[in-house]
Amino acid sequence: MSITMDTTLASLVTNKRRVSALKSLGIVTVGDALTYYPFRVTEPVPLRAIREAAPGQQMAFAAVIRDMRVVPMNARRGYRLEATVDDADFARSRRVPGSTARLTFFSYRKSYVDWVSMRLRAGTSVVVSGMPSEYMGQLQFTHPEILTVAPGSAGTGAGLEGYARGAASGNGAFAGSTDPYASAQSAYPPAAAAPSGAALKYDADTVQEALTRVCRPRPVYHASSRISSEHIHETILGLLWMMGARTSSTPDGKLAGAGSADIVAPTTDTIAVQNGEEKSGTTAESGAEALSQSIPDVLPESVRKVKNLMHRAEAFLAIHDPASTARFKEAIETLRYEEAFVSQTSLLKARSHAHKSAAHSCPLVTDSLRDQFIASLPFSLTAGQQQVIHDIAADLAHDWPMQRLLQGEVGSGKTVVALAAMLQAVDAGYQAVLVAPTQVLAEQHAETIGRMVEQLKPAIPVTLLTGGMKLAARRKALAAASSGEPGIIVATHAAFSKTFQAPHLALVVIDEQHRFGVEQRESLNAKTDDGTTPHLLVMTATPIPRTAAMTWFGDLDISWLTELPGGRKPIRTVVVNEADAATMGRMFAHIRARVNAGERAYIVCPRIDADDEENEGGSGVSSAAGSARGRAAASGSSARTAAGGRATRAAADAIGIDDPYETFDENGETVARPPLHAVAEIADRLQKLPQFQGIRFATLTGRDKDNVKTQVMADFAGGETPILVSTTVIEVGVDVKQASCIVIFDADRYGLSQLHQLRGRVGRGGTNSWAFLISRAEPGSPAEQRLEVIHHSLDGAEIAQADLEFRGAGDVLGDAQSGGKSSLKLLRVVKDADMIADARTRAEQLLAADPELAGEVQLAGAVLDFTRGNETFLTSS
């Protein structure tokens, strides 16, 4: 059976529960497994004789089993197995007296006890790794990692001399090593238990081999309640063995001071080993060659040599079976550069392709509609707006499609700029489409634009098209679009349907770009019947650091609107500990006072109702996530669904957090967190408070029908229901000038950029405004540190940079919004800016010589996968 990166785990892994558990982490194929990177790697375990043991400090040693007994635990169900070990030979190699210790195992399962008993028979040579403790005056190791050694190799002269040289250095680790560290529990599969009368299989042929294996660094993976980090590692090692790996990836094939380390052949209980694939049948040399054939390199050979990077197969091996922490870091850098190179090549190709397409030229005319509109405005444009309008006008005059990103804070005047561009297209005799992410926002845009253009001559038709329209109105809107008459169409995702036709479409404006996928964007680009590609203007209020924007919007020209209109006062941000009842009470009293003054208040919760399932076991938030992503990324979120914290796709509508931050312990296990607050629960609680007696509440969620959403927002804006309890559906497009207060529950679980977006819903009418961030974060925790950033800053770019640094690269590409799996899991947009710039320069040189990548088949495939599976923009996560 030929195994590739696309081979499914279900066809290889015999344990179906494990397949299901891995799938919950987003691991479905061999490629998914190999790119599920560990979040840390342990350092080598120090070698110590029993007499050198220090309670609570990890150690490893070689010994012989002297006796073993199984004791039924009468007071409780189950058994206790105790084995006494003697390290005389090993201690002599370290020039200290030998001693004994006790190995203790507990289990309710008789089958497990029988299996351990069979391995730890008297006279068996073993290598032990674990944490010593003291019990009843004797040194004890509870559930240590045990590797059994084949007979005839355990005495002096059986490999211990090499370790004696390490002992002479005084550090007790590998010879030549200076860093004794702790290690995670073994991830190597145990030897298969032999039936009665059959020859017992041993874990290692020599003591030296066993010591090498227990002492070498171990990767630790983000795990879940369904699968441990050790079992994830075991599975990945089994897959590498099946693909041809036999020994660790090192420059000289050796560990420092030790022999080469073999990857253990997986048992048939773990991996479906095929006939003819037994360990003895393949040499290390042929295995390495086989692995490189199964995992071809993506980077061009010339780039890899200049940058002194590993082969891709070698890097995977060094990450999942590292010979040293230095080798692990070197492999991470290799794959990080690969991600940078693939992403930049993809963005450069997209930009080149756009410039080769034909577009309708829309030059400015005398007494243009655009100039009439600007002259009719009751205010003067900012210098930034004037410059961006000028740049867009120049782009629209070309006969190739404009590709421009317009970024600006909430209220910076992006809609005015977009309308000026659309009027230029209409003046040239074409159609323009403005796409909004929600029906509420689409209706607001249509009303605002209709009001702004009603005095222009000739009259400009403004057509609204949403998925919630009645059939007759929808047919009328579709007919107006298909007529090709010059005008402006304001639409929701309904514009992406097959029934939408705009034959003279020259300009597409996408508001809140992060809400739309690349495939949706491209579907609009392909709508014209005359073979032209529409000009594209994408807008976002999501603050993006320049380094990040230059990376992910690499196929777009970028404009920034940095000036805010006058009259807006800074929003006062207050972080409130939910357990502080006194402060919570004062906050609610303050909100009541503002409502009495004729103002409005938002209460934001991440869930719709209390019985919404959060994905406890595993992503991509991002996410989305992380992971979305965990990456992702991750993706995940195909969401990046890393364990814990990230919402499942089924619950995406119920949980409003874009990409909740995951919390893991040092072993990669998810840390339990309190359930997220829900709209129904909070609305019920608040209405019972004395501060809100006589006040009408409304609720708004993503599950509400469009006509209900419209009515709820109208009642809220009109004051009939001055307090609105909602999910994050109000994050974009809601403009109620009387809103002065926003309360965000579970604020410690949101991304900073999303909190910044939500905060921007208040203070739009020039009144004093407040944002209350309700948190259950532990004092001094990373979550508390994140909230301090938004507490002290109103600078969107500064907040976004901090968000990227807190989240890491895996959560940059949003998959909760895009529905695609992130290919990027290692690249850090902020920290790796220099690497990204270097990769972009080299990618430009490569594409100049080979525009179609005809000589780089693997790179071309990776670029295609990246283009299909990733957003080429940031999300608001």
Side-chain angles (χ1 to χ4, degrees), residues 411-481:
S412 60
K414 296 187 298 296
T415 303
V416 170
V417 172
L419 182 51
M422 289 189 287
L423 289 174
Q424 184 173 338
V426 173
D427 227 357
Y430 300 108
Q431 296 169 294
V433 173
L434 171 62
V435 188
T438 66
Q439 175 164 330
V440 171
L441 184 53
E443 290 172 347
Q444 286 186 0
H445 276 318
E447 180 184 351
T448 301
I449 291 172
R451 194 168 57 246
M452 285 180 163
V453 303
E454 62 184 358
Q455 302 299 326
L456 302 184
K457 301 297 180 182
I460 307 298
V462 179
T463 304
L464 176 65
L465 176 61
T466 71
M469 297 174 70
K470 291 184 178 180
L471 184 59
R474 180 175 170 78
R475 284 178 174 172
K476 183 178 179 180
L478 289 170

Side-chain angles (χ1 to χ4, degrees), residues 539-757:
M539 303 191 298
T540 180
T542 303
I544 306 164
R546 285 179 177 265
T547 54
M550 293 304 293
T551 301
W552 302 125
F553 294 89
D555 59 336
L556 307 177
D557 295 308
I558 307 174
S559 296
W560 277 270
L561 287 178
T562 56
E563 301 170 73
L564 291 179
R568 293 197 64 176
K569 298 180 180 178
I571 302 169
R572 304 173 193 178
T573 304
V574 184
V575 179
V576 181
N577 189 320
E578 190 174 340
D580 186 348
T583 304
M584 292 284 286
R586 290 196 301 272
M587 176 188 72
F588 291 134
H590 171 80
I591 292 172
R592 175 59 187 262
R594 303 321 306 164
V595 169
N596 289 344
E599 296 169 9
R600 315 280 187 270
Y602 298 105
I603 312 289
V604 179
C605 304
R607 289 201 293 176
I608 295 177
D609 40 54
D611 57 358
D612 291 326
E613 287 189 12
E614 194 176 354
N615 185 18
E616 297 294 339
S619 40
V621 62
S622 214
S623 285
S627 196
R629 21 172 234 90
R631 249 90 8 37
S635 50
S637 1
S638 79
R640 260 170 310 145
T641 50
R646 295 189 195 267
T648 59
R649 178 67 56 195
D653 290 335
I655 300 176
I657 295 179
D658 276 352
D659 188 3
Y661 290 90
E662 295 125 336
T663 306
F664 301 99
D665 62 20
E666 63 177 5
N667 292 320
E669 302 290 344
T670 52
V671 175
R673 295 186 291 182
L676 297 167
H677 287 301
V679 168
E681 163 214 349
I682 292 298
D684 182 61
R685 280 172 51 187
L686 296 187
Q687 290 179 84
K688 295 176 181 178
L689 293 177
Q691 293 95 327
F692 296 124
Q693 291 302 308
I695 296 293
R696 290 186 60 195
F697 281 68
T699 61
L700 182 67
T701 73
R703 288 181 185 167
D704 294 329
K705 293 183 178 179
D706 287 335
N707 62 326
V708 172
K709 291 178 183 176
T710 302
Q711 186 59 50
V712 166
M713 288 308 302
D715 291 345
F716 177 64
E720 287 84 355
T721 52
I723 297 181
L724 177 63
V725 185
S726 77
T727 58
T728 55
V729 291
I730 63 146
E731 181 186 347
V732 292
V734 175
D735 188 3
V736 178
K737 298 191 184 303
Q738 299 89 341
S740 64
C741 295
I742 185 167
V743 178
I744 305 172
F745 279 91
D746 295 304
D748 51 300
R749 306 277 288 274
Y750 289 81
L752 296 185
S753 294
Q754 190 180 19
L755 288 175
H756 183 63
Q757 280 271 46

Side-chain angles (χ1 to χ4, degrees), residues 246-299:
R246 293 297 182 267
T247 59
S248 303
S249 170
T250 61
D252 56 4
K254 295 183 178 181
L255 288 175
S260 61
D262 290 343
I263 294 181
V264 176
T267 67
T268 53
D269 293 335
T270 306
I271 299 288
V273 180
Q274 306 297 312
N275 293 334
E277 292 179 344
E278 294 300 327
K279 179 180 178 182
S280 60
T282 308
T283 65
E285 290 76 13
S286 64
E289 183 179 345
L291 185 64
S292 62
Q293 291 174 355
S294 300
I295 309 174
D297 214 347
V298 169
L299 287 173

